Amino acid sequence: MDLHLQLGQGGLADQIHAQLHERISTGALPAGTVLPSSRELAARLSVSRATVVAAYDLLAAHGLIRSRAGVGTFVTGGPVAAPTAPTGSPLRARAIWDSFAVPDLSVPTAEFNFAPGVPARTKFPFARWRALVNDQLRSRTDVHYADPAGSDRLRTALTRHLVVSRGVHLAPEQLVITTGAQQAFDIAARVLLEPGDTVAVEDPGYLPSYRGFLAHGARVVGVPVDSEGLVVDQLPVGTRLVYVTPSHQFPLGMPMSEGRRTALLAWAARHDAAIVEDDYDSEFRFSGRPLTPLQAADREGRVLYVGSFSKTLLPTLRVGFLGVPSVLAEAARRAKFAADYGTAGHVQAALAAFIEDGDLARHIKRMRRSYERRHDVLIAVLREHFAGLLEPIESLGGTHTTALLTPGQPPDTVLAARALAAGVNLGPVSRWGIDRPGPNGFVFGYGAIAAERIADGLAALRRVI
């Protein structure tokens, strides 16, 4: 045990005895703990062995330790008093943190789980992923820090995947591998924003990104969305950065129309603004022509492209990416280094192999079929059994569908609480409002519920409504 004791002037044996007595009595050294030998502790503290022996004898006399020849010295006493700690401090956190709260990220136990943002865990190829990770752990010999922007291998593999699957215009050196999408937003803010800059976000919208921009000292303004996505005409003058989810708006679910995409890019050019495109749920489009990402249509280098593997694979992987215009690549790399020294190397290598071998493309294709079936079942039941109660918002893909309560219904938060008590877990739309409460309705995620269970879950919800 690496035991730290602080010695000053006066009787050394008494000081050693007092500090060990305090740690044993508060449970910091629980019963059964093996203490250093008197010779070892004396050498560590630069005192005589007799001094340590005297301190140990006092502890033994109080019944707190016991020595066994040839075995060692053990703690026998248990905690008898609570540890003392400073009761206050003159330090104060910034006021912004008073308004923040870390939500309960655990998924409530419910018979029917429509929680949004949860992928189909049972469909994940755990055996293949485990083999890739184990192979990397066995074969890796490097123990040094690497490029904070990510491994060349992963960035090259991911770039090829994005060029083929999404049509984006990115080179490997324009990518930064991040710890999920949230860190990508954080890096974008570090690179582009000064305190007081205006950031526009969708309202209702994705609250974690909103809070992240606030934490950087930005003035964050909610901009309404309609059936075509963000209402570009209502963007405030002076906006420095616009955050959007154009492939599958969160939480309402509609894609941004082609006309609105063109208008947003033109607006950014006129007002010298940046766009952070969160390409959320883009992999799971079920019908209609593929939507061109803003990044692929950007001719001026104003779009920062964000994605993650939280929905395509698992949230616990904590891997995302940020694609930036070439002129920002080195600044983004440095911002990642300022945040941390890089994403875990063995995870990057395993993910690179997963992409290179075609596993990612096959998994996405398999999940697209599975989610389309769940989506279709959900929509069919809502239309057949919830007429006059819930109005689904048209969506063409993704891992969730949103439906709004008809006028005169109770608040969605009240109904959601009643539904949870009846075994149905879903998300109230109103909680995703930025400058005002969101619409009255529910977000139905279908990643965590089998298609065969959807009708029964909705029947339980109908009884509640």
Side-chain angles (χ1 to χ4, degrees):
M1 170 182 288
D2 190 7
L3 185 62
H4 174 77
L5 300 176
Q6 185 173 348
L7 302 182
Q9 301 298 318
L12 298 178
D14 288 340
Q15 293 180 53
I16 295 171
H17 165 264
Q19 292 182 52
L20 289 176
H21 189 290
E22 188 270 339
R23 295 184 191 184
I24 293 171
S25 65
T26 59
L29 292 174
T33 300
V34 181
L35 296 178
S37 68
S38 58
R39 191 184 306 277
E40 180 186 352
L41 186 56
R44 189 174 299 160
L45 298 178
S46 297
V47 300
S48 70
R49 184 185 178 193
T51 299
V52 176
V53 169
Y56 277 9
D57 286 345
L58 283 171
L59 292 169
H62 288 97
L64 296 178
I65 67 172
R66 181 180 62 186
S67 296
R68 294 173 57 191
V71 178
T73 301
F74 300 83
V75 175
T76 58
V80 296
T84 59
T87 57
S89 170
L91 304 180
R92 294 292 179 268
R94 290 169 53 208
I96 183 89
W97 300 113
D98 292 336
S99 61
F100 275 46
V102 177
D104 182 3
L105 298 177
S106 62
V107 178
T109 301
E111 184 179 3
F112 306 103
N113 186 11
F114 292 98
V118 180
R121 179 185 179 278
T122 57
K123 301 287 187 179
F124 182 75
F126 281 102
R128 172 62 175 154
W129 181 255
R130 189 180 298 113
L132 290 171
V133 171
N134 287 342
D135 181 63
Q136 293 303 321
L137 292 174
R138 283 193 300 266
S139 62
R140 292 183 71 86
T141 58
D142 58 305
V143 293
H144 302 290
Y145 296 114
D147 191 332
S151 72
D152 289 338
R153 181 184 176 189
L154 177 56
R155 289 193 286 169
T156 298
L158 182 54
T159 299
R160 289 172 180 165
H161 169 75
L162 293 172
V163 169
V164 171
S165 66
R166 297 296 293 134
V168 298
H169 303 298
L170 286 171
E173 57 270 18
Q174 293 176 260
L175 277 183
V176 174
I177 305 302
T178 63
T179 306
Q182 192 65 18
Q183 189 181 55
F185 307 145
D186 181 81
I187 291 173
R190 290 172 186 261
V191 170
L192 292 173
L193 298 180
E194 298 287 352
D197 280 350
T198 299
V199 173
V201 300
E202 297 164 324
D203 190 2
Y206 187 55
L207 291 177
S209 62
Y210 160 75
R211 292 170 179 147
F213 294 130
L214 274 182
H216 278 279
R219 171 179 172 262
V220 186
V221 179
V223 177
V225 295
D226 61 17
S227 60
E228 295 188 68
L230 183 83
V231 181
V232 175
D233 291 344
Q234 295 195 35
L235 285 167
V237 175
T239 296
R240 172 68 173 137
L241 184 152
V242 183
Y243 168 81
V244 287
T245 54
S247 292
H248 192 220
Q249 202 276 335
F250 189 89
L252 299 183
M254 79 290 288
M256 182 181 286
S257 69
E258 290 290 352
R260 201 63 65 80
R261 290 164 186 255
T262 301
L264 178 58
L265 289 169
W267 188 95
R270 289 196 307 272
H271 294 269
D272 192 24
I275 300 170
V276 171
E277 177 181 17
D278 182 356
D279 207 17
Y280 168 75
D281 265 356
S282 63
E283 301 87 355
F284 304 122
R285 185 171 172 84
F286 309 141
S287 61
R289 294 180 180 176
L291 294 172
T292 302
L294 291 167
Q295 198 277 344
D298 178 23
R299 296 292 177 263
E300 293 201 357
R302 295 189 175 277
V303 177
L304 286 74
Y305 184 77
V306 175
S308 84
F309 295 92
S310 294
K311 305 298 180 293
T312 51
L313 296 178
L314 288 177
T316 49
L317 295 185
R318 306 311 308 133
V319 179
F321 53 89
L322 171 66
V324 299
S326 296
V327 69
L328 299 179
E330 184 55 29
R333 178 172 176 265
R334 295 173 182 178
K336 166 68 174 178
F337 181 72
D340 64 47
Y341 275 28
T343 304
H346 68 287
V347 174
Q348 291 191 63
L351 182 55
F354 195 78
I355 297 172
E356 291 165 350
D357 296 344
D359 291 294
L360 178 63
R362 284 189 291 271
H363 179 68
I364 290 174
K365 185 177 181 179
R366 186 164 53 246
M367 296 313 303
R368 186 183 296 124
R369 291 195 298 266
S370 178
Y371 288 145
E372 182 176 11
R373 182 179 175 222
R374 301 179 199 201
H375 168 272
D376 291 349
V377 171
L378 178 66
I379 292 296
V381 175
L382 287 175
R383 287 175 175 165
E384 182 177 357
H385 297 291
F386 285 80
L389 299 175
L390 284 170
E391 297 177 355
I393 295 177
E394 185 71 23
S395 64
L396 302 176
T399 58
H400 79 267
T401 289
T402 298
L404 301 184
L405 288 156
T406 53
Q409 297 283 356
D412 54 9
T413 51
V414 172
L415 290 175
R418 294 176 185 169
L420 184 58
V424 182
N425 179 41
L426 37 69
V429 181
S430 64
R431 290 180 177 171
W432 297 95
I434 302 298
D435 290 339
R436 61 196 66 81
N440 199 34
F442 301 122
V443 182
F444 294 90
Y446 38 80
I449 185 168
E452 297 76 15
R453 300 283 287 159
I454 289 175
D456 289 342
L458 291 180
L461 174 63
R462 194 180 190 283
R463 289 191 292 270
V464 169
I465 297 180

